[in-house]
Amino acid sequence: MGAIDWSKSPKPSNTTISFSFEWAMKNLSSGIHPTLPTKQTLKHQGDRLEIPSAAARCEWDFSLSTVVSSSANAAVSDALGSIEFDPSNTVVATGGIARKIRIYSLNSLLPEDNIQLLTRGEQNDTAFLDHVNACSFYICTPAKLSSLRWRPGSGGRLLGSGDYDGVVMEYDLERKLPVFERDEHGGRRVWSVDYSHWDPFVGASGSDDGTMQMWDPRCGGEGGECVAKVQPAAARSSVCCVEFSPFGDSLIALGCADRMAYAYDVRKMVEPLHVLEGHTKTVTYVRFVDAQTMVSAGTDGCLKLWNMSDCGLIRTCKGHLNSRSFVGLSVWRHGGLLGCGSENNQVFVYDKRWDEPICARGLEPMARPGFGHAFVSSVCWRQVQEDHCTLLAGGSDGVLQVFVGTKIS
């Protein structure tokens, strides 16, 4: 990949677009503000200054509440590639290399005695559990999983997945069966799936085939109609992450291996609305922090916060190690905290106000043959509006750990 002059707008000819306008008029004509923002492109970092950050200070006390591991001592990879809380924030799903979707209740991961101690601000003893006993049930999948996402509006019943074989599937957790399958990425790995919040039937997937595809199962055949398809990079660089804005607007964000993050308006996907340049390596994750702010993560070891109104770079957060792997990124929107993993097997927490981490905690080492160089491979915050928070972290060794933070008075 050569150098690109981003002082000029990207040419539409460099991007492959496919969009169903009939679907757009039918499904997007109401409930969304009618004014399209103008396209913004961030110029080279030297042309814009980041907002200075004050010295970071930690307002939270984090402790390790629970460690869940496997009693099996076989050297079989069980790397956890995805952790997701359901919409009620009481159920957790995990998926990864082991070809299993495991479902846990929060009560099994966070013992009531520990909750009471933390509520009183007292120190708790770490609970050590086994996946077999802690897990409510599991569903075997046909391929290794890279992404999970609960479908909004399904009452926590439907869970979508993307896998290494390039297939998007949806599982009915009450029946413990797949109810939807979509194989439109040519067998290339699906890195990420997400669902729209303004129309929960609409989903999107990003893949190694260099495309982001949006689909609607109410249209077309068994796998649903592809209502939009974009190839952000002319070189067909992998689309590593997709996320719809959870704030009711029409934005969808992508992170790509071409070192760029993109944002599209789903009503007008002829070209990206925003092109965010600043990372020096693959953009692995994009997450919406609030209605005006997005954060991206890359294998350059940086988190970057962006102002979506003008594409301005707010700040760059550094401290964790990430040069080659997917280490997870999650946002606790109520508390303004960012969580990510690290290749030194630590969990890092950043406050969106500062560019240095406010906390770094190592995952409890679990001796298993073949896992001498474990790293944090996924993280997920519980989205609650409280003065204590819960962060789950999964490792490349299959260990799931639960951290709880309490606000320092």
Side-chain angles (χ1 to χ4, degrees), residues 382-408:
R382 186 180 182 222
Q383 299 295 331
V384 291
Q385 296 187 1
E386 299 173 353
D387 285 334
H388 62 269
C389 56
T390 305
L391 176 65
L392 272 60
S396 60
D397 55 1
V399 177
L400 179 66
Q401 305 201 25
V402 183
F403 295 89
V404 176
T406 54
K407 195 73 175 287
I408 298 174

Side-chain angles (χ1 to χ4, degrees), residues 333-365:
R333 297 187 180 94
H334 173 69
L337 300 183
L338 316 174
C340 70
S342 179
E343 288 165 4
N344 63 357
N345 211 30
Q346 289 186 311
V347 180
F348 280 73
V349 177
Y350 295 87
D351 189 301
K352 68 178 184 179
R353 297 171 291 178
W354 302 304
D355 54 19
E356 296 178 353
I358 62 170
C359 179
R361 293 293 304 266
L363 262 64
E364 190 75 18

Side-chain angles (χ1 to χ4, degrees), residues 5 30 32 46 67 72 111 124-125 156 260 304 320 385 387:
D5 182 5
S30 61
I32 303 177
V67 177
N124 64 289
D125 293 326
M260 308 294 176
K304 291 183 178 290
H320 61 289
Q385 296 187 1
D387 285 334

Side-chain angles (χ1 to χ4, degrees), residues 8 16 229 233 380 405:
K8 299 179 181 180
T16 301
K229 178 179 179 180
C380 187

